[in-house]
Amino acid sequence: MADIVNLKTFRKEKARRVKDAEASANRTKFGRTKADKIREREEEARGRDKHEAHRIVRDEDNTDPAR
């Protein structure tokens, strides 16, 4: 004799499996770890700081009119 299967439950489980598989694929395709995000932010900040350190500031707006 065959087991009785609730079709509603079977459909929900199947939908969950499909959704989980899609989520897993998206995590590998788009996901980054928190450590990766932090490292990238720190590298960008370091680059901005290095760039700002080499900036030449000219004081053209505050020239002395007596000159």
Side-chain angles (χ1 to χ4, degrees), residues 46-65:
R46 223 176 294 123
R48 279 192 308 271
D49 292 344
K50 187 174 181 180
H51 184 73
E52 282 293 317
H54 291 89
R55 174 181 268 219
I56 298 173
V57 179
R58 296 193 175 124
D59 196 21
E60 295 172 356
D61 295 334
N62 297 327
T63 57
D64 188 12

Side-chain angles (χ1 to χ4, degrees):
M1 198 158 164
D3 292 332
I4 298 173
V5 178
N6 185 340
L7 292 178
K8 184 177 181 179
T9 305
F10 181 76
R11 287 183 189 124
K12 284 185 178 184
E13 288 175 4
K14 182 180 177 186
R16 258 188 230 115
R17 285 193 302 269
V18 170
K19 187 176 178 182
D20 288 342
E22 185 179 338
S24 177
N26 283 338
R27 280 193 297 272
T28 57
K29 187 175 181 182
F30 299 108
R32 295 183 302 160
T33 63
K34 186 175 183 178
D36 289 340
K37 293 176 188 176
I38 291 171
R39 183 177 39 243
E40 185 176 323
R41 267 190 255 129
E42 289 173 350
E43 287 174 1
E44 289 174 4
R46 223 176 294 123
R48 279 192 308 271
D49 292 344
K50 187 174 181 180
H51 184 73
E52 282 293 317
H54 291 89
R55 174 181 268 219
I56 298 173
V57 179
R58 296 193 175 124
D59 196 21
E60 295 172 356
D61 295 334
N62 297 327
T63 57
D64 188 12
R67 273 192 200 176

